[in-house]
Amino acid sequence: MADNEQDLTREPGKTSLYRIVVNGDLHESWSDWLGKVDLRRRSQGLGSCYTILLSEVPDQAALRGLLNRIWDLNLEIISLNKYSQGETDDS
């Protein structure tokens, strides 16, 4: 591996935190069906809103499963960000 390349292997059992923002108001009752996702609803004024989904994901297959469930609900994804442990830009 070259000096400027990152080692992309993951330690077993380590998860990544993902923050997914979707258009619309997603009720907390969907949290379990989505895989025990932390849902945070926000208003943009004038009746529009969005929902922030925070989830610890163990691997890419689990992330794909979460994205498939969002797709099944016909939700528009506004953004998707991956964070290191303990780091987020939304509380």
Side-chain angles (χ1 to χ4, degrees):
M1 178 170 15
D3 290 336
N4 61 351
E5 291 182 27
Q6 292 181 352
D7 181 6
L8 299 178
T9 60
R10 179 186 308 259
E11 295 176 30
K14 190 166 183 172
T15 61
S16 296
L17 178 65
Y18 283 87
R19 178 183 183 266
I20 304 169
V21 181
V22 297
N23 196 21
D25 186 8
L26 189 60
H27 193 267
E28 295 94 15
S29 62
W30 287 102
S31 175
D32 284 341
W33 187 77
L34 288 166
K36 300 191 192 285
V37 171
D38 181 17
L39 300 175
R40 300 175 184 189
R41 299 182 292 175
R42 302 288 190 258
S43 175
Q44 296 179 354
L46 299 175
S48 68
C49 58
Y50 61 95
T51 304
I52 300 167
L53 294 79
L54 294 172
S55 180
E56 289 190 23
V57 179
D59 55 32
Q60 292 295 296
L63 177 60
R64 175 68 186 263
L66 175 57
L67 293 173
N68 283 342
R69 287 186 179 100
I70 292 170
W71 170 272
D72 290 344
L73 292 174
N74 199 31
L75 296 171
E76 175 189 6
I77 296 175
I78 298 171
S79 68
L80 184 145
N81 300 95
K82 179 181 176 182
Y83 294 95
S84 299
Q85 294 289 42
E87 170 194 32
T88 62
D89 63 359
D90 185 81
S91 52

